[in-house]
Protein backbone atom coordinates (compact mmCIF):
# COMPACT_ATOMS: atom_id res chain seq x y z
CA UNK A 1 0.00 0.00 0.00
CA UNK A 2 1.29 3.49 -0.82
CA UNK A 3 0.31 6.99 0.31
CA UNK A 4 1.41 10.60 0.38
CA UNK A 5 3.47 11.26 3.50
CA UNK A 6 4.80 14.29 5.39
CA UNK A 7 7.56 14.50 7.95
CA UNK A 8 9.00 17.10 10.32
CA UNK A 9 12.50 18.31 9.63
CA UNK A 10 15.09 19.17 12.29
CA UNK A 11 14.16 22.85 11.95
CA UNK A 12 10.66 22.00 13.18
CA UNK A 13 8.94 22.56 9.82
CA UNK A 14 6.81 19.91 8.19
CA UNK A 15 7.62 18.79 4.67
CA UNK A 16 5.35 16.90 2.29
CA UNK A 17 7.13 14.34 0.16
CA UNK A 18 6.31 14.82 -3.52
CA UNK A 19 5.51 11.23 -4.50
CA UNK A 20 3.60 8.25 -3.04
CA UNK A 21 5.64 6.16 -0.62
CA UNK A 22 5.38 2.45 0.20
CA UNK A 23 3.89 2.27 3.71
CA UNK A 24 5.47 -1.11 4.40
CA UNK A 25 8.60 0.84 5.35
CA UNK A 26 6.84 2.59 8.22
CA UNK A 27 5.32 1.72 11.57
CA UNK A 28 2.00 3.21 12.67
CA UNK A 29 2.58 5.18 15.88
CA UNK A 30 -0.60 7.21 16.26
CA UNK A 31 -3.78 7.84 14.34
CA UNK A 32 -5.61 11.21 14.39
CA UNK A 33 -8.98 11.29 16.14
CA UNK A 34 -10.50 12.79 12.98
CA UNK A 35 -9.30 9.96 10.73
CA UNK A 36 -12.86 9.21 9.57
CA UNK A 37 -13.13 12.80 8.33
CA UNK A 38 -9.69 12.97 6.78
CA UNK A 39 -9.85 9.63 4.97
CA UNK A 40 -13.49 8.63 4.39
CA UNK A 41 -12.87 6.55 1.25
CA UNK A 42 -11.34 3.15 0.52
CA UNK A 43 -9.31 4.41 -2.41
CA UNK A 44 -6.80 1.56 -2.06
CA UNK A 45 -9.34 -1.16 -2.90
CA UNK A 46 -9.03 -2.93 -6.24
CA UNK A 47 -11.66 -2.19 -8.88
CA UNK A 48 -12.81 -4.70 -11.53
CA UNK A 49 -12.30 -2.15 -14.31
CA UNK A 50 -9.97 0.84 -14.14
CA UNK A 51 -11.49 4.02 -15.58
CA UNK A 52 -9.70 7.29 -16.32
CA UNK A 53 -10.39 10.40 -18.37
CA UNK A 54 -8.68 13.71 -19.02
CA UNK A 55 -11.20 16.54 -18.85
CA UNK A 56 -10.40 19.81 -20.63
CA UNK A 57 -12.22 23.15 -20.44
CA UNK A 58 -12.02 25.48 -23.42
CA UNK A 59 -13.77 28.80 -24.01
CA UNK A 60 -16.76 27.24 -25.77
CA UNK A 61 -16.92 23.60 -24.67
CA UNK A 62 -15.72 20.83 -22.43
CA UNK A 63 -14.06 17.83 -24.05
CA UNK A 64 -12.50 14.68 -22.69
CA UNK A 65 -10.15 11.88 -23.61
CA UNK A 66 -11.28 8.42 -22.49
CA UNK A 67 -8.23 6.27 -21.78
CA UNK A 68 -7.67 2.60 -22.51
CA UNK A 69 -6.09 1.30 -19.31
CA UNK A 70 -3.15 -1.01 -19.90
CA UNK A 71 -2.20 0.74 -23.12
CA UNK A 72 -0.63 4.08 -23.94
CA UNK A 73 -3.59 5.33 -25.95
CA UNK A 74 -7.27 6.19 -25.68
CA UNK A 75 -10.32 3.96 -25.93
CA UNK A 76 -10.64 2.50 -29.45
CA UNK A 77 -14.38 3.17 -29.71
CA UNK A 78 -14.91 6.46 -27.82
CA UNK A 79 -11.51 8.13 -27.53
CA UNK A 80 -12.80 11.70 -27.53
CA UNK A 81 -16.07 13.39 -26.52
CA UNK A 82 -17.26 16.98 -26.11
CA UNK A 83 -20.22 19.07 -25.00
CA UNK A 84 -20.79 22.71 -25.86
CA UNK A 85 -21.20 25.43 -23.26
CA UNK A 86 -23.15 26.61 -21.38
CA UNK A 87 -23.17 23.71 -18.93
CA UNK A 88 -24.39 23.77 -15.35
CA UNK A 89 -22.44 22.03 -12.58
CA UNK A 90 -24.98 19.20 -12.72
CA UNK A 91 -24.55 18.95 -16.51
CA UNK A 92 -20.79 18.70 -16.04
CA UNK A 93 -21.07 16.03 -13.35
CA UNK A 94 -23.34 13.95 -15.59
CA UNK A 95 -20.97 14.44 -18.53
CA UNK A 96 -17.97 13.23 -16.51
CA UNK A 97 -19.84 10.09 -15.41
CA UNK A 98 -20.83 9.39 -19.02
CA UNK A 99 -17.24 9.89 -20.20
CA UNK A 100 -15.91 7.52 -17.54
CA UNK A 101 -18.40 4.88 -18.67
CA UNK A 102 -16.88 5.06 -22.17
CA UNK A 103 -13.36 4.13 -21.02
CA UNK A 104 -11.93 0.63 -21.33
CA UNK A 105 -9.53 -1.63 -19.45
CA UNK A 106 -7.38 -3.96 -21.56
CA UNK A 107 -5.20 -5.52 -18.89
CA UNK A 108 -7.20 -8.77 -18.92
CA UNK A 109 -6.02 -9.32 -22.50
CA UNK A 110 -2.46 -9.90 -21.39
CA UNK A 111 -1.09 -13.43 -21.48
CA UNK A 112 1.83 -14.00 -19.13
CA UNK A 113 2.03 -10.25 -18.72
CA UNK A 114 2.19 -9.52 -22.45
CA UNK A 115 -0.28 -8.68 -25.18
CA UNK A 116 -0.50 -10.81 -28.29
CA UNK A 117 1.42 -9.57 -31.31
CA UNK A 118 -0.24 -6.60 -32.95
CA UNK A 119 -2.87 -6.06 -30.22
CA UNK A 120 -1.63 -2.64 -29.07
CA UNK A 121 -1.07 -1.50 -32.64
CA UNK A 122 -4.67 -2.42 -33.50
CA UNK A 123 -5.98 -0.51 -30.47
CA UNK A 124 -3.97 2.57 -31.46
CA UNK A 125 -5.15 2.48 -35.07
CA UNK A 126 -8.81 2.13 -34.06
CA UNK A 127 -8.46 4.92 -31.50
CA UNK A 128 -6.93 7.30 -34.04
CA UNK A 129 -9.62 6.47 -36.61
CA UNK A 130 -12.43 7.02 -34.10
CA UNK A 131 -10.96 10.30 -32.85
CA UNK A 132 -10.40 11.86 -36.28
CA UNK A 133 -14.00 13.00 -36.97
CA UNK A 134 -14.39 14.35 -33.41
CA UNK A 135 -11.20 16.38 -33.77
CA UNK A 136 -12.55 17.73 -37.05
CA UNK A 137 -15.79 18.78 -35.34
CA UNK A 138 -13.88 20.50 -32.53
CA UNK A 139 -11.85 22.37 -35.12
CA UNK A 140 -14.86 23.38 -37.21
CA UNK A 141 -17.24 24.30 -34.36
CA UNK A 142 -14.86 25.74 -31.78
CA UNK A 143 -11.65 26.59 -33.69
CA UNK A 144 -9.64 24.14 -31.57
CA UNK A 145 -6.42 22.97 -33.20
CA UNK A 146 -6.38 19.13 -33.24
CA UNK A 147 -2.67 18.88 -32.39
CA UNK A 148 -2.99 21.14 -29.33
CA UNK A 149 -6.04 19.72 -27.57
CA UNK A 150 -3.98 18.71 -24.55
CA UNK A 151 -1.67 21.75 -24.62
CA UNK A 152 -3.51 23.67 -21.92
CA UNK A 153 -3.38 24.08 -18.16
CA UNK A 154 -7.17 24.00 -18.00
CA UNK A 155 -7.38 20.23 -17.67
CA UNK A 156 -7.67 17.62 -14.92
CA UNK A 157 -7.44 13.83 -14.78
CA UNK A 158 -10.26 11.89 -13.16
CA UNK A 159 -10.08 8.27 -12.00
CA UNK A 160 -13.03 6.17 -10.87
CA UNK A 161 -11.94 4.22 -7.80
CA UNK A 162 -13.65 1.75 -5.46
CA UNK A 163 -16.00 4.19 -3.74
CA UNK A 164 -14.90 7.60 -4.99
CA UNK A 165 -13.60 9.65 -7.87
CA UNK A 166 -10.06 11.04 -7.68
CA UNK A 167 -9.51 14.40 -9.37
CA UNK A 168 -5.90 15.31 -10.18
CA UNK A 169 -4.85 18.82 -11.29
CA UNK A 170 -2.42 19.60 -14.08
CA UNK A 171 0.55 20.46 -11.85
CA UNK A 172 3.98 18.83 -11.72
CA UNK A 173 3.87 18.24 -7.96
CA UNK A 174 1.51 15.83 -6.25
CA UNK A 175 -0.48 15.71 -3.05
CA UNK A 176 -3.30 18.08 -4.02
CA UNK A 177 -5.90 15.71 -5.44
CA UNK A 178 -9.58 15.87 -4.54
CA UNK A 179 -11.81 12.91 -3.73
CA UNK A 180 -15.56 12.84 -4.40
CA UNK A 181 -17.91 10.07 -3.32
CA UNK A 182 -19.30 7.77 -6.02
CA UNK A 183 -22.71 8.50 -4.52
CA UNK A 184 -22.34 12.28 -4.69
CA UNK A 185 -24.86 14.21 -6.80
CA UNK A 186 -24.02 15.27 -10.36
CA UNK A 187 -24.16 18.90 -9.21
CA UNK A 188 -21.65 18.49 -6.40
CA UNK A 189 -19.41 16.34 -8.58
CA UNK A 190 -19.44 19.04 -11.25
CA UNK A 191 -18.74 21.73 -8.65
CA UNK A 192 -15.69 19.81 -7.43
CA UNK A 193 -14.32 19.60 -10.98
CA UNK A 194 -14.94 23.32 -11.55
CA UNK A 195 -13.31 24.20 -8.24
CA UNK A 196 -10.14 22.39 -9.27
CA UNK A 197 -10.16 23.90 -12.76
CA UNK A 198 -10.56 27.36 -11.21
CA UNK A 199 -7.47 27.07 -9.03
CA UNK A 200 -5.22 30.03 -9.87
CA UNK A 201 -1.74 29.61 -11.26
CA UNK A 202 0.87 30.15 -8.55
CA UNK A 203 4.33 29.09 -7.45
CA UNK A 204 4.68 25.54 -6.13
CA UNK A 205 5.29 26.63 -2.53
CA UNK A 206 2.17 28.79 -2.36
CA UNK A 207 0.09 26.21 -4.23
CA UNK A 208 1.05 23.47 -1.79
CA UNK A 209 0.41 25.71 1.21
CA UNK A 210 -3.17 26.19 0.01
CA UNK A 211 -4.12 22.93 -1.69
CA UNK A 212 -1.85 20.11 -0.47
CA UNK A 213 -3.00 17.21 1.69
CA UNK A 214 -0.74 18.49 4.45
CA UNK A 215 -2.41 21.91 4.56
CA UNK A 216 -5.80 20.23 5.07
CA UNK A 217 -4.61 17.59 7.53
CA UNK A 218 -2.62 19.80 9.92
CA UNK A 219 -5.65 21.53 11.54
CA UNK A 220 -6.99 18.09 12.53
CA UNK A 221 -3.81 16.72 14.10
CA UNK A 222 -3.44 16.57 17.87
CA UNK A 223 -0.53 18.44 19.42
CA UNK A 224 1.07 15.12 20.46
CA UNK A 225 1.41 14.17 16.79
CA UNK A 226 2.59 17.58 15.59
CA UNK A 227 5.22 17.82 18.34
CA UNK A 228 6.34 14.17 18.19
CA UNK A 229 10.06 13.52 18.22
CA UNK A 230 11.62 10.55 16.43
Amino acid sequence: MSAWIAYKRKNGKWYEYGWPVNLNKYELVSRPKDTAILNPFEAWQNVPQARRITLVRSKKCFYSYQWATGTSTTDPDTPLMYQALPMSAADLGAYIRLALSKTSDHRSQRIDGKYSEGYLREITIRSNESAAPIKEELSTKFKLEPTKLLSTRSQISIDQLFDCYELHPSVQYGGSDMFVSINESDENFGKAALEMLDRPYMAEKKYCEKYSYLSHVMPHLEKSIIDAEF
Side-chain angles (χ1 to χ4, degrees), residues 175-191:
S176 59
D177 295 356
M178 293 175 62
F179 294 86
V180 179
S181 171
I182 288 284
N183 299 318
E184 191 56 83
S185 67
D186 286 342
E187 182 175 8
N188 288 336
F189 189 15
K191 285 181 178 179

Side-chain angles (χ1 to χ4, degrees), residues 29-160:
V29 176
S30 181
R31 186 181 295 274
K33 294 178 181 178
D34 290 339
T35 294
I37 298 174
L38 298 171
N39 187 26
F41 304 116
E42 298 181 21
W44 64 87
Q45 295 277 16
N46 290 326
V47 291
Q49 181 172 350
R51 297 185 180 279
R52 164 175 280 203
I53 66 169
T54 297
L55 178 72
V56 186
R57 178 174 62 182
S58 70
K59 292 181 179 180
K60 296 183 179 181
C61 71
F62 274 96
Y63 57 92
S64 60
Y65 282 87
Q66 288 67 242
W67 296 102
T69 301
T71 77
S72 58
T73 188
T74 45
D75 178 76
D77 299 314
T78 315
L80 185 60
M81 292 171 45
Y82 71 89
Q83 186 167 326
L85 297 175
M87 291 173 65
S88 66
D91 292 336
L92 179 58
Y95 173 89
I96 295 171
R97 284 192 164 104
L98 176 62
L100 285 165
S101 74
K102 301 296 184 181
T103 61
S104 54
D105 189 339
H106 298 259
R107 293 174 298 174
S108 63
Q109 300 300 315
R110 291 172 177 162
I111 301 175
D112 295 330
K114 297 181 180 180
Y115 293 106
S116 59
E117 185 177 353
Y119 184 83
L120 293 179
R121 184 167 57 86
E122 179 186 351
I123 293 294
T124 301
I125 291 173
R126 287 174 54 196
S127 177
N128 290 338
E129 291 177 346
S130 298
I134 308 302
K135 290 181 178 181
E136 181 65 28
E137 289 181 24
L138 289 172
S139 176
T140 302
K141 293 182 179 180
F142 308 115
K143 308 303 180 184
L144 293 171
E145 192 171 333
T147 59
K148 297 183 178 180
L149 292 178
L150 289 175
S151 301
T152 172
R153 287 190 65 257
S154 191
Q155 63 175 280
I156 58 177
S157 296
I158 304 176
D159 289 274
Q160 184 171 323

